[in-house]
Amino acid sequence: MENLTTTYATRAEIWLCITTLLYFLMNGAQIFETFVFVPKWTFSPPDNFKLLSDGKGVSLKFFWIIFHSLHEIAFILAIIFCWKILPVRNWLLILLVAHIAVRIWTLVYFAPHIIYFQKIAESPVVPENLPSRVSLWQTLNYVRVTLFIIISLGLIPLCIKLFSFVHNMK
């Protein structure tokens, strides 16, 4: 590792900690949403879909857009500040790729389905396969949240490695 200064390593430490903290806060929000809010709107579809409607229920869209944006900016900054610390950088890149894959899945599958469910709340027509679609969404959401938790847990050994590295520099 080429000429690392204590200042550089400390900045890497700070941004990795911020990223990890934001990820765990995001996990907490996802767990709450998955086990408290999702069961409310998935129970008896489409009767409870009004809980999803913007202006008529709980809109979590802006919360998640802001939270994910802040987290992903911090994640990128952690990579930038850990760039010269190869073992940390390489694992951060792997975790980022995994994170991006789950985010793409979210944007391709979960978000469009939420929008679809919101539209059903405002429509008199109820699709025949609605209960199975809602059940599948809910089941896959458990998988998605678990993947996010696993990815965030992957940050802990990196924090430990970086802390010991910085401690050994001093």
Side-chain angles (χ1 to χ4, degrees):
M1 293 181 243
E2 51 192 73
N3 299 333
L4 294 178
T5 64
T6 305
T7 303
Y8 181 90
T10 301
R11 286 185 184 141
E13 201 173 42
I14 289 168
W15 282 106
L16 185 57
C17 286
I18 290 170
T19 300
T20 304
L21 175 65
L22 286 173
Y23 221 133
F24 278 91
L25 289 172
M26 191 168 56
N27 287 341
Q30 289 174 347
I31 290 168
F32 174 81
E33 183 180 77
T34 297
F35 291 105
V36 175
F37 184 64
V38 171
K40 289 187 184 305
W41 69 260
T42 58
F43 180 78
S44 184
D47 300 335
N48 294 340
F49 282 1
K50 290 200 186 312
L51 291 170
L52 299 172
S53 300
D54 290 336
K56 298 179 192 125
V58 180
S59 176
L60 299 172
K61 176 175 59 177
F62 293 113
F63 169 80
W64 285 118
I65 289 171
I66 291 168
F67 212 144
H68 277 288
S69 298
L70 289 173
H71 170 259
E72 286 158 6
I73 289 167
F75 206 136
I76 290 167
L77 287 169
I79 291 170
I80 290 169
F81 284 103
C82 291
W83 195 256
K84 293 180 184 176
I85 307 166
L86 296 179
V88 174
R89 176 190 72 196
N90 293 342
W91 276 106
L92 275 175
L93 290 172
I94 290 167
L95 292 172
L96 180 64
V97 168
H99 174 80
I100 289 171
V102 179
R103 287 284 287 133
I104 289 170
W105 185 29
T106 299
L107 295 172
V108 169
Y109 176 79
F110 292 95
H113 275 77
I114 288 291
I115 293 166
Y116 171 74
F117 296 148
Q118 287 173 332
K119 288 179 181 172
I120 289 173
E122 299 166 4
S123 170
V125 179
V126 178
E128 194 174 300
N129 65 346
L130 185 61
S132 64
R133 288 183 79 172
V134 169
S135 178
L136 178 62
W137 188 98
Q138 188 173 18
T139 301
L140 292 176
N141 187 55
Y142 292 133
V143 173
R144 177 177 65 131
V145 170
T146 301
L147 290 172
F148 275 130
I149 291 169
I150 290 167
I151 294 166
S152 67
L153 290 174
L155 293 169
I156 294 172
L158 298 181
C159 288
I160 293 168
K161 183 180 290 248
L162 189 56
F163 292 156
S164 64
F165 175 75
V166 171
H167 178 71
N168 290 334
M169 285 183 70
K170 294 178 181 180

